[in-house]
Amino acid sequence: MKFGGTSMGDAARIRSASKICAGAQSQRPTAVIVSAMSKVTDMLLDTLRHAEGGDAAGVEMMLAKLSAKHRECCEGLLEGPARTETQETLNSILAEFVRIAQGILMLGERPPRSVDEAIAVGERLSSNLMAAYLRSQGSDAVAINAREVIVTDAVFGNASPLMDQTREKAINRLKPELDHGRLVILTGFNGATMDGRPTTLGRGGSDFSASILASVLDAEELWIWSDVDGILSADPRIVPNVRLLEEITYREAAELAYNGAKVLHPRTLVPLMEKEIPVWSKNSFDLSKPGTKIVPITKEGPIGPRAVTSMTNVALVTLDPASAVLSGTRIMARSLEALAAANAEVLVLSSSSYRQNFCFLIRQSELPAVIEKLEEAFSLELAHGYLHPIDADLDVGLVAIVGEGMKGHAGLAGRIFTAISREEVNIIAIAQGSSELTIAIVVRKDGVDKAVRAVHDECGLGA
Ligand code: ADP
Ligand code: ASP
Ligand code: MG
């Protein structure tokens, strides 16, 4: 089971999450993965930014807030010696963070390795709080730092798991605890390289931690607890009449997550698909709701469009040859090389046939590295004017419609484009993957929400 930030938001939330854990544990061996309390990772990152900027007062202020938030939660959960003992544990974890923040303050820079070690503190605090509370309620619970279990590569800030090594560690470290009937409460979000350097799995990465552990432990099921009823036909913050999807396929869920549905981290499903471990997305705020089951094939079969998602923290990069002498295909090939070197993912790729210019959509966080690698790869062409200066447009957003079997719906793409145009939202680029599971559309940023609602209506996805 994995509990997200809102499900760990305060003492009351941790109490109800703990009740769910203890209930599950009484039925079958259960491993729990927790996020930091909501907003804590942002607060930790903010503190480090103040430190990098030499703002000692800002650092102090943030530390006071972080410490107060966790102290208050500890006081809301525990009493007597258990409270004192847990408060000491929290203090010593926070002291490690303070040490790193002070190092950054002195250096005036934030080395990615130190950032990863520092921000994993949020999950260490929340996992210790939950384990201590569970013990106070009579459960045999233990907090474990996933750094001892999840082995990753050394891509700090966005590490990938090494599954074989992780499996070995999980069997050695976690199996004995589970076999003893102990409830293990693991930190989400973090891991470590083979030689023990701390890493993190990217923002929202606790979902991914949970799926990695579910896979290596050969779990029967993975339950992801969040603050929504399950996977919905759209983000409820954008569309009022969303529908809960009872079942969706791994491929649909993966496309939704990849195209911005925050309810799942984009890489969550990869470790589970091969073993066909079912995933439930459930609401920790409302246990009466059944949630969404993510499965290999749904009972209804492929029925066309199921959900719309969107993303606004993206950038559209255009490459435009100034001279017909250049081979457009070659430019494209070299650009893709540069994107790979920058470790970037292409969300949409679109090209025109005659002018040989083309554009691709990437995450904004990846833009600096992408521009650097592209300018490096095309330094000669740019210097001699064979290529127009590389253009990055940040005023765009992505809208994606996802569903198995959309291929069978004749005229669907046309209807979708018309619905968007009716809202007077201009379509900038379009892409449909060969799987025909997703239609991706790039529009101006201020048109994204309107386009999402228009498509949701047009495809009849609402409740
Ligand atoms: P957690 O902290 O539990 O990991 P997140 O905030 O990361 O939770 O993800 C849950 C949020 O995802 C919801 O509150 C909702 O606003 C958003 N969301 C976006 N798209 C969808 C969707 N299609 N279905 C459900 N939730 C969605
Ligand atoms: N706490 C981390 C974040 O906010 C990981 C997670 O919550 O999944 O990104
Ligand atoms: Mg999340």
Side-chain angles (χ1 to χ4, degrees):
M1 296 189 164
K2 175 257 172 178
F3 292 87
T6 42
S7 304
M8 298 291 287
D10 56 26
R13 298 307 316 154
I14 294 183
R15 240 183 259 122
S16 34
S18 299
K19 203 168 152 202
I20 297 174
C21 295
Q25 161 76 7
S26 68
Q27 306 284 318
R28 61 188 87 74
T30 304
V32 178
I33 290 87
V34 295
S35 287
M37 294 176 73
S38 65
K39 309 262 159 50
V40 164
T41 310
D42 288 332
M43 289 164 80
L44 293 166
L45 278 164
D46 250 8
T47 314
L48 301 185
R49 271 183 220 115
H50 283 295
E52 185 184 29
D55 174 12
V59 171
E60 280 307 316
M61 181 199 64
M62 290 305 299
L63 289 174
K65 275 196 200 169
L66 279 161
S67 155
K69 185 173 175 106
H70 290 91
R71 189 179 338 102
E72 192 183 307
C73 183
C74 182
E75 285 168 4
L77 288 173
L78 298 158
E79 288 177 337
R83 182 196 281 183
T84 317
E85 196 185 301
T86 306
Q87 192 54 58
E88 273 165 21
T89 307
L90 301 182
N91 290 347
S92 75
I93 296 170
L94 271 170
E96 285 182 46
F97 178 73
V98 173
R99 184 179 49 76
I100 302 170
Q102 278 165 351
I104 290 175
L105 192 64
M106 266 164 52
L107 271 170
E109 61 178 286
R110 283 184 299 160
R113 300 174 46 161
S114 309
V115 172
D116 273 12
E117 181 171 4
I119 61 178
V121 159
E123 273 70 10
R124 290 172 60 200
L125 294 166
S126 62
S127 57
N128 273 283
L129 276 166
M130 186 189 242
Y133 174 70
L134 276 159
R135 284 194 297 270
S136 78
Q137 299 302 298
S139 287
D140 185 9
V142 55
I144 296 180
N145 189 341
R147 194 177 141 168
E148 295 176 45
V149 182
I150 296 182
V151 185
T152 71
D153 62 15
V155 179
F156 299 101
N158 195 25
S160 296
L162 307 177
M163 294 302 278
D164 291 338
Q165 288 88 332
T166 302
R167 180 167 299 110
E168 199 182 315
K169 292 217 175 201
I171 287 166
N172 291 333
R173 182 71 181 91
L174 303 181
K175 266 266 157 58
E177 304 277 6
L178 292 167
D179 290 346
H180 266 92
R182 205 164 269 164
L183 192 47
V184 295
I185 315 293
L186 286 135
T187 56
F189 189 40
N190 71 330
T193 60
M194 216 35 212
D195 53 358
R197 288 171 293 161
T199 53
T200 60
L201 303 169
R203 292 308 305 272
S206 298
D207 298 331
F208 194 25
S209 306
S211 72
I212 294 166
L213 290 167
S215 169
V216 297
L217 289 170
D218 290 316
E220 257 166 62
E221 289 190 342
L222 168 62
W223 295 15
I224 295 184
W225 295 92
S226 188
D227 61 349
V228 275
D229 288 345
I231 299 184
L232 305 163
S233 55
D235 188 335
R237 290 170 300 186
I238 300 176
V239 176
N241 62 327
V242 289
R243 181 198 315 219
L244 173 69
L245 306 173
E246 268 171 48
E247 274 194 333
I248 66 170
T249 68
Y250 289 122
R251 298 197 322 155
E252 287 170 335
E255 287 286 336
L256 282 174
Y258 184 78
N259 288 294
K262 200 188 162 214
V263 65
L264 286 178
H265 180 275
R267 294 193 280 171
T268 309
L269 295 159
V270 179
L272 305 167
M273 284 165 126
E274 196 184 316
K275 293 193 172 172
E276 302 200 343
I277 298 173
V279 186
W280 284 91
S281 165
K282 282 175 173 283
N283 192 348
S284 78
F285 290 70
D286 186 352
L287 304 187
S288 70
K289 294 281 165 41
T292 300
K293 191 176 189 183
I294 309 174
V295 290
I297 305 166
T298 56
K299 286 190 231 75
E300 276 185 295
I303 52 170
R306 309 219 51 208
V308 194
T309 178
S310 62
M311 225 165 154
T312 48
N313 52 348
V314 290
L316 190 70
V317 179
T318 302
L319 270 88
D320 195 4
S323 148
V325 178
L326 292 184
S327 147
T329 311
R330 190 148 295 282
I331 299 277
M332 204 184 285
R334 286 168 57 201
S335 306
L336 290 175
E337 286 282 339
L339 285 165
N343 230 325
E345 248 164 347
V346 182
L347 302 165
V348 168
L349 178 70
S350 177
S351 80
S352 81
S353 50
Y354 168 66
R355 271 189 54 211
Q356 300 274 327
N357 68 340
F358 68 97
C359 59
F360 49 82
L361 193 76
I362 54 170
R363 297 193 178 89
Q364 262 177 35
S365 57
E366 294 171 343
L367 185 63
V370 165
I371 294 289
E372 187 193 318
K373 294 289 176 197
L374 283 172
E375 287 182 344
E376 203 176 289
F378 293 111
S379 56
L380 277 179
E381 287 83 352
L382 287 164
H384 295 289
Y386 286 116
L387 203 61
H388 290 298
I390 297 168
D391 179 48
D393 187 348
L394 304 189
D395 184 30
V396 294
L398 172 72
V399 176
I401 303 94
V402 174
E404 304 245 18
M406 290 208 295
K407 177 161 30 185
H409 286 232
L412 179 69
R415 272 173 44 216
I416 288 171
F417 303 148
T418 310
I420 294 178
S421 308
R422 252 196 318 265
E423 297 296 317
E424 291 177 7
V425 174
N426 218 3
I427 294 176
I428 300 169
I430 298 167
Q432 180 161 30
S434 50
S435 65
E436 296 203 40
L437 199 72
T438 300
I439 298 176
I441 299 165
V442 181
V443 298
R444 280 277 153 245
K445 198 172 260 173
D446 63 7
V448 169
D449 290 1
K450 269 191 275 181
V452 167
R453 288 188 285 266
V455 173
H456 192 263
D457 262 4
E458 179 63 39
C459 298
L461 303 179

